[in-house]
Amino acid sequence: MVDEIEMLRQMRDEVPERPDVSEVRLRMTVYMEQAPARRPRPAYRLRFGLALATAGVLAAATAAVLVPDRGGEPETRPTSPSAATVLERAALMATRSTPVEIRPDQWFYLKESQHMGADLPTFESWDRMDGTRSALRPEGRELKVGPAEKGPTTVRRTQQEVEALPTDPDALLRHVRGDVPERAPLSICGPSCPPEIAQDAKAFGTIGWYLKFGPVIPQDTAAAMFRALAKIPHVSVEENATDMDGRPGVGVVFDAGESGKLYYVLNPGDYRYMGVKTVHDGQSMGMSVLGSGIVDRPGDAP
């Protein structure tokens, strides 16, 4: 007869002290969210010892709840994934993206729509990566090329800041909460946020500002940004969000209480940044990124 206690001891000894279960979490989460609800077959019940050995991985990986029914058998009921689950998936996707090599003579292209409570034009902008030139073309108008705008938020300055950011999520959060200039694509309660949420709002806003420049962000830094967002209090995920142009996406939401909510809308396929919006008292405003990338000259689009 097989000595089950000895088998469990051997299995325990073969498990590393700190296993990397990120891939397991991703695959289990995707499986549980996409598979229809089903009843586990009684013939495949886990033995108590094995369940103890794997409980930590399963608890972190699954996005479903097992609830006993009146017949005594558990049934699987899907739940909405947490911010940590969705943003970990986004981080893993970022690490698998293809790195972009950018030359100083190339340009960062951005096409953006504006929904700020007035009729504002969609526009395209080009910023040379060495920070010396910029170009602008509002919808229906001619392209104008000139010197780069003076200020702290040129694309060259942004690239330098991004490359200097920590790639550890906790260190990144400490950095953006520290004595650094706040950057935000759209403010929700600044400059007078309630003290209890001020630092969280600053961190959320700053990370969102950088996410807008997705093609410029190194893979590991982008992954750290998503993981850092998951660590900020008052942050949740809405899977059926839309941007200000009505495109469906995944909403990463900061709840500022009476000041409303700030959304970053991500592409549901690759978690690319699609736009930002605020919602307050039933009114929404924001901006949508309709295109972005690295090109060789102003007037070009990716």
Side-chain angles (χ1 to χ4, degrees):
M1 179 179 297
V2 177
D3 188 338
E4 294 186 1
I5 298 299
E6 184 59 30
M7 287 180 61
L8 288 173
R9 287 175 179 166
Q10 293 176 4
M11 291 172 63
R12 180 190 61 194
D13 293 339
E14 293 172 0
V15 176
E17 291 184 2
R18 299 190 63 174
D20 180 3
V21 297
S22 59
E23 185 70 20
V24 176
R25 285 202 302 267
L26 176 64
R27 293 188 179 185
M28 285 291 293
T29 299
V30 173
Y31 172 79
M32 295 301 292
E33 290 173 2
Q34 293 180 348
R38 64 191 71 184
R39 293 177 183 268
R41 297 180 183 177
Y44 296 105
R45 296 177 189 267
L46 289 174
R47 297 198 181 197
F48 183 70
L50 183 57
L52 285 178
T54 59
V57 174
L58 290 176
T62 185
V65 177
L66 294 179
V67 182
D69 63 12
R70 294 184 179 181
E73 294 182 3
E75 64 178 20
T76 303
R77 294 179 183 173
T79 64
S80 297
S82 67
T85 297
V86 172
L87 291 167
E88 177 62 22
R89 195 185 310 149
L92 291 171
M93 188 73 73
T95 61
R96 295 170 183 166
S97 62
T98 303
V100 178
E101 294 185 8
I102 306 173
R103 302 190 312 269
D105 64 321
Q106 291 183 301
W107 299 67
F108 175 73
Y109 167 81
L110 180 71
K111 183 176 182 179
E112 197 167 24
S113 63
Q114 307 176 85
H115 306 272
M116 307 299 292
D119 292 329
L120 299 173
T122 296
F123 67 91
E124 296 171 285
S125 63
W126 291 262
D127 291 281
R128 189 168 154 126
M129 294 303 302
D130 62 7
T132 61
R133 306 280 286 171
S134 65
L136 183 67
R137 182 167 62 195
E139 187 175 24
R141 299 174 63 181
E142 293 184 359
L143 172 70
K144 292 187 177 182
V145 183
E149 293 184 7
K150 295 182 179 180
T153 58
T154 64
V155 68
R156 175 58 181 155
R157 175 66 179 271
T158 300
Q159 183 185 34
Q160 292 172 334
E161 291 177 359
V162 165
E163 290 176 345
L165 290 174
T167 56
D168 174 77
D170 293 310
L172 176 58
L173 264 186
R174 288 192 296 270
H175 178 81
V176 296
R177 281 175 167 151
D179 188 20
V180 296
E182 179 176 3
R183 309 242 188 265
L186 200 62
S187 178
I188 186 170
C189 57
S192 56
C193 287
E196 62 272 17
I197 67 168
Q199 288 301 306
D200 296 329
K202 177 185 177 184
F204 191 79
T206 302
I207 292 174
W209 166 266
Y210 290 127
L211 284 175
K212 182 178 178 179
F213 293 85
V216 176
I217 306 173
Q219 297 164 286
D220 291 346
T221 306
M225 288 179 180
F226 288 125
R227 290 174 175 136
L229 286 174
K231 293 174 176 286
I232 300 175
H234 318 292
V235 170
S236 61
V237 163
E238 293 184 14
E239 284 199 295
N240 298 316
T242 57
D243 68 7
M244 289 300 295
D245 283 81
R247 298 177 300 174
V250 176
V252 183
V253 190
F254 180 81
D255 189 342
E258 293 182 357
S259 297
K261 294 181 178 182
L262 177 62
Y263 286 72
Y264 300 138
V265 183
L266 308 179
N267 184 289
D270 58 11
Y271 300 97
R272 174 177 39 85
Y273 179 95
M274 292 172 55
V276 59
K277 71 177 181 180
T278 61
V279 178
H280 184 230
D281 290 337
Q283 302 295 316
S284 300
M285 64 175 58
M287 297 172 287
S288 300
V289 172
L290 305 179
S292 65
I294 304 299
V295 298
D296 289 333
R297 60 188 61 85
D300 289 351

